[in-house]
Amino acid sequence: MTPALEAVDVTRTYRSDGVSVTALHGVGLRIEEGEFAAIVGPSGSGKSTLMHLLGCLDRPTGGTLRVAGRDVAALSDAELADLRNRRVGFVFQSFQLLPRTSARDNVALPLVYRGVPRAERRRRAVEALSMVGLGHRLDHRPSQLSGGEQQRVAIARALVGEPRVVLADEPTGNLDTRTGHEVMDLLEHLNAEHGVAVVLVTHEPDIAGRARRRIHIRDGRIERDERA
């Protein structure tokens, strides 16, 4: 079976003012369809760089990166953006919601880029918000929602395009412990009941411990790969 995401000997080097800094050194990784994995490591370990590459927000300097079997090096910027929009959903620590926009319209936003008609966008946004328990908060703006509710809106936005993979970068980082575990409950449910692969970046051992697979990264290299 074709993996959802695959990195083969991937490196990422940043250059600025004549100075080169390598954030990833020859990383090899496969994420299968329906997996629940955590990428774990200290600050500066390269875990967010790896997440950005897996989500096609950046391109590797060397090696091969495939999304649903497609080599990202062979894609134009437009093709890469389309693949990202259709295959991958993102959840960020800071929520990244439009502050003056309702929950429904925040969730519908990825469908705008696909050219989905307005009525269909709104219908699918309501469906996604109902899936995360916010069907009663459709018209609320982010400032009218708690932190946990804002993260649920962000998860609904990630799901509205029916992706095969959700990438979550420190999804509980701005939440209290109880709310963070509620968000994890939701991600686990989506993985188990809907078959969505979930890959989360975290430095919190208790959050990482809930994943069935833990990929430990340090100094830009995978130290070990554990499965529950």
Side-chain angles (χ1 to χ4, degrees):
M1 181 181 294
T2 301
L5 303 169
E6 184 177 24
V8 181
D9 200 26
V10 162
T11 62
R12 182 65 175 98
T13 299
Y14 298 96
R15 296 179 176 86
S16 178
D17 298 327
V19 177
S20 296
V21 176
T22 299
L24 293 176
H25 302 264
V27 168
L29 178 66
R30 284 171 60 104
I31 301 294
E32 306 294 345
E33 295 280 351
E35 272 206 280
F36 195 116
I39 299 173
V40 187
S43 178
S45 62
K47 59 186 186 297
S48 290
T49 298
L50 178 57
M51 178 72 83
H52 289 166
L53 291 176
L54 293 176
C56 301
L57 295 173
D58 193 8
R59 294 178 187 261
T61 307
T64 302
L65 179 65
R66 300 186 186 95
V67 177
R70 300 182 68 185
D71 185 347
V72 303
L75 303 178
S76 68
D77 288 346
E79 289 171 330
L80 188 62
D82 183 68
L83 179 65
R84 180 173 61 238
N85 184 273
R86 295 179 183 278
R87 293 287 305 185
V88 183
F90 296 92
V91 180
F92 301 97
Q93 178 178 349
S94 57
F95 316 139
Q96 296 195 2
L97 303 176
L98 298 177
R100 299 180 181 178
T101 303
S102 70
R104 175 169 41 207
D105 288 343
N106 263 291
V107 170
L109 187 60
L111 301 179
V112 173
Y113 302 113
R114 292 195 195 179
V116 175
R118 184 172 184 270
E120 176 67 7
R121 293 199 306 265
R122 290 170 68 85
R123 184 193 69 78
R124 288 172 64 173
V126 170
E127 187 176 86
L129 283 164
S130 297
M131 189 184 300
V132 300
L134 289 179
H136 61 300
R137 306 284 264 173
L138 303 177
D139 297 315
H140 288 68
R141 296 180 180 181
S143 61
Q144 298 170 308
L145 301 172
S146 69
E149 288 173 329
Q150 289 183 62
Q151 193 61 292
R152 284 173 178 265
V153 172
I155 292 170
R157 181 184 57 195
L159 294 173
V160 74
E162 300 179 345
R164 297 307 305 153
V165 183
V166 168
L167 301 178
D169 195 353
E170 299 282 5
T172 63
N174 281 340
L175 305 175
D176 61 71
T177 301
R178 180 185 62 80
T179 306
H181 281 287
E182 289 176 356
V183 166
M184 287 300 299
D185 289 343
L186 176 57
L187 290 173
E188 287 178 347
H189 173 78
L190 295 170
N191 173 255
E193 299 300 322
H194 299 276
V196 178
V198 176
V199 182
L200 65 93
V201 159
T202 184
H203 65 276
E204 302 178 63
D206 58 329
I207 296 298
R210 297 185 60 167
R212 293 192 298 274
R213 180 182 180 190
R214 290 174 293 283
I215 301 152
H216 296 264
I217 187 168
R218 183 180 293 274
D219 297 330
R221 294 180 173 86
I222 292 178
E223 272 192 328
R224 61 187 189 278
D225 191 339
E226 304 171 328
R227 296 178 185 270

